Amino acid sequence: MNREGTPTLYEKYGVAVDGVVSLFYQKVLDDEDLQPFFLGVNMERQKKHMSAFITYALGGPNNYNGKNMEVAHRKLKINNHHFHAVSMHLSDSLEQFGVEDSDRMIILSTIDQLREAIVTA
């Protein structure tokens, strides 16, 4: 619980993180613009990294042990179009798992703070 006695985002949605991440990557891999970024990527490992990252972003434990965002994305030449597409797939996945609109906007805002580290083109 936070100071106001309301549940944190992790307390509200933490149990759904793995499902959200699975659905998210299904959408991403079905997207012809995004597929090329994942050729040759071990998707099980990628899902674990993303689940740990999302857990931390929601206020849960920090079990993320992957590269920092800038290093992980530096050579990929991701542009704003790609970033927006990924954000929309994440938003859709969160919505499908019943994440409230206001909470979804908080989560997406948190992810958007990483734009400079991820967008390299």
Side-chain angles (χ1 to χ4, degrees), residues 13 16-17 19-28 30-31 34 50 54 83-101 103-105 107-108 111:
Y13 306 114
V17 168
V20 168
V21 168
S22 258
L23 179 59
F24 163 74
Y25 276 117
Q26 180 181 342
K27 292 174 181 296
V28 165
D30 286 344
D31 186 320
L34 301 176
M50 183 66 143
I54 295 291
F83 188 90
H84 179 73
V86 166
S87 294
M88 291 301 94
H89 290 312
L90 179 58
S91 180
D92 291 346
S93 300
L94 291 165
E95 184 176 21
Q96 285 185 258
F97 270 83
V99 175
E100 298 171 22
D101 289 347
D103 292 338
R104 221 168 5 104
M105 293 304 109
I107 294 164
L108 293 173
I111 300 301

Side-chain angles (χ1 to χ4, degrees), residues 33-34 37 76-87 121:
D33 287 341
L34 301 176
F37 292 109
L76 297 177
K77 297 188 180 4
I78 295 169
N79 63 34
N80 279 310
H81 167 76
H82 300 127
F83 188 90
H84 179 73
V86 166
S87 294

